[in-house]
């Protein structure tokens, strides 16, 4: 009898322990397509915002990131972004909207992601594509999540067709170029933006100086060793200094950050801007930021 009581007690304790563990576990996210309804989304990723509005139905988008309303950081038309609700990226705001899927950057704060998943929300993250094929793969991934594969393929085709209109520049017409990003840093060559630049025959001047991804470049360095083409994306004092206008052998132009931080539709706009810059460079003598300051 005593042995029976011990076995019974252990069984009850085991069931109780399992119940406690189950109550502490992160619940499995529901399948948003289980009932046949189109899934709804909240995007916390400004790069994904621009793709989402072209692929998903408008009633699937519960909110975009607040970045897309800022012309300085948006990878899409801010006027289009203004037609959607937005969040500041907090878990509380997202939970209040109860989307089926949250679209975020791969750098989402772990605490935010944990809070969303513990509440039963599905979180899908996207990194920064380093090449056009990676960006096209992201478009297809997003299209599959929305259930709108045809719209995703239409966007892929539009980007591919646009790229086909920008023929590669022969090597004998190449020029040295430096992209001076916010914070006075330069990109590495294994990036999406340098894939764009290489297509236009631009040679990475920073790499020839021994600089890689996020290498810092001072105003003094630019003045002492200028490239043929200086593309300025930042607004640090050194990047707006009047001395830049005295670089007689350098063509200086603006290349806004929202053209190279994201893939998707930004690829087309980046190529269009590079076309403008290259044509201006070839038809006007170098000599300062006043040639093309946009």
């Amino acid at each position: 009898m005593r042995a029976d009581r011990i076995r019974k007690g252990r069984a009850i304790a085991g069931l109780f322990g399992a119940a406690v563990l189950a109550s502490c576990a992160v619940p499995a996210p529901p399948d948003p397509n289980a009932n046949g309804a189109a899934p709804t989304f909240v995007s916390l990723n400004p790069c994904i915002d621009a793709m989402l509005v072209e692929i998903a139905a408008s009633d699937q988008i519960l909110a975009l990131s607040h970045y897309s309303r800022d012309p300085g950081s948006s990878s899409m038309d801010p006027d289009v972004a203004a037609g959607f609700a937005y969040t500041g990226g907090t878990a509380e705001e997202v939970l209040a909207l109860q989307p089926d899927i949250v679209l975020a950057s791969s750098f989402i704060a772990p605490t935010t992601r944990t809070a969303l998943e513990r509440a039963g929300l599905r979180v899908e993250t996207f990194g920064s594509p380093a090449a056009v094929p990676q960006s096209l793969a992201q478009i297809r991934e997003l299209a599959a999540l929305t259930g709108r594969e045809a719209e995703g393929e239409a966007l892929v085709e539009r980007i591919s067709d646009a790229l086909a209109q920008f023929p590669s520049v022969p090597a004998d017409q190449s020029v040295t170029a430096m992209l001076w990003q916010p914070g006075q840093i330069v990109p590495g060559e294994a990036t999406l933006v340098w894939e764009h630049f290489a297509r236009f025959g631009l040679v990475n001047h920073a790499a020839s100086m021994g600089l890689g991804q996020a290498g810092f470049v001072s105003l003094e360095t630019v003045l002492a060793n200028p490239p043929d083409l200086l593309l300025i994306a930042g607004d640090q004092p050194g990047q707006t200094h009047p001395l830049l206008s005295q670089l007689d052998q350098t063509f200086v132009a603006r290349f806004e950050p929202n053209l190279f931080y994201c893939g998707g539709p930004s690829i087309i706009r980046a190529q269009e801007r590079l076309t403008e810059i290259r044509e201006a460079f070839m038809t006007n003598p170098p000599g300062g930021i006043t040639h093309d300051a946009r």
Side-chain angles (χ1 to χ4, degrees):
M1 293 294 293
R2 176 178 174 83
D4 290 341
R5 286 198 298 269
I6 291 174
R7 284 194 295 270
K8 185 176 181 181
R10 287 175 176 173
I12 292 172
L15 290 172
F16 178 76
V20 170
L21 289 174
S23 67
C24 295
V26 175
D31 181 357
N33 297 306
N35 59 5
T40 56
F41 298 86
V42 167
S43 173
L44 307 179
N45 184 331
C47 294
I48 296 301
D49 288 351
M51 294 187 282
L52 187 65
V53 298
E54 294 208 23
I55 296 174
S58 58
D59 59 359
Q60 290 182 273
I61 305 172
L62 302 184
L64 301 177
S65 74
H66 64 95
Y67 298 105
S68 289
R69 292 196 171 202
D70 180 357
S73 61
S74 180
S75 62
M76 59 183 288
D77 185 341
D79 291 336
V80 174
F84 296 89
Y86 69 96
T87 75
T90 66
E92 292 80 5
E93 291 173 292
V94 177
L95 290 172
L97 293 170
Q98 284 297 296
D100 293 311
I101 302 176
V102 180
L103 305 171
S105 163
S106 56
F107 297 105
I108 183 175
T111 53
T112 301
R113 179 168 190 166
T114 298
L116 295 174
E117 291 180 334
R118 284 196 178 280
L121 298 186
R122 176 178 172 183
V123 179
E124 294 288 341
T125 60
F126 295 79
S128 298
V132 170
Q134 292 179 17
S135 179
L136 301 185
Q138 285 188 341
I139 292 172
R140 291 187 169 107
E141 180 182 356
L142 182 61
L145 289 173
T146 62
R148 292 169 65 89
E149 287 84 353
E151 286 76 6
E153 286 304 315
L155 179 55
V156 167
E157 184 176 351
R158 185 158 66 86
I159 294 172
S160 299
D161 289 347
L163 289 177
Q165 298 176 18
F166 302 106
S168 298
V169 176
D172 60 355
Q173 296 181 24
S174 64
V175 298
T176 63
M178 178 185 290
L179 176 59
W180 213 7
Q181 297 181 157
Q184 296 187 206
I185 62 174
V186 293
E189 293 190 317
T191 56
L192 179 61
V193 69
W194 267 108
E195 181 179 329
H196 298 336
F197 286 9
R199 187 175 290 110
F200 282 81
L202 303 182
V203 178
N204 192 339
H205 186 67
S208 69
M209 298 165 60
L211 297 173
Q213 176 68 24
F216 178 81
V217 178
S218 67
L219 171 64
E220 292 77 13
T221 298
V222 173
L223 296 175
N225 187 8
D228 298 323
L229 176 62
L230 178 63
L231 303 178
I232 301 178
D235 56 4
Q236 298 293 312
Q239 294 171 310
T240 58
H241 201 283
L243 284 175
L244 292 173
S245 64
Q246 299 180 22
L247 294 175
D248 295 335
Q249 301 304 312
T250 297
F251 189 93
V252 185
R254 289 291 301 179
F255 194 76
E256 297 299 336
N258 58 14
L259 295 177
F260 60 83
Y261 281 142
C262 300
S266 295
I267 293 173
I268 299 174
R269 294 190 294 113
Q271 297 293 311
E272 290 172 344
R273 178 63 179 139
L274 284 170
T275 298
E276 294 172 354
I277 292 172
R278 173 109 188 156
E279 290 177 352
F281 176 85
M282 299 300 291
T283 57
N284 295 280
I289 199 167
T290 54
H291 281 294
D292 194 340
R294 286 191 298 121

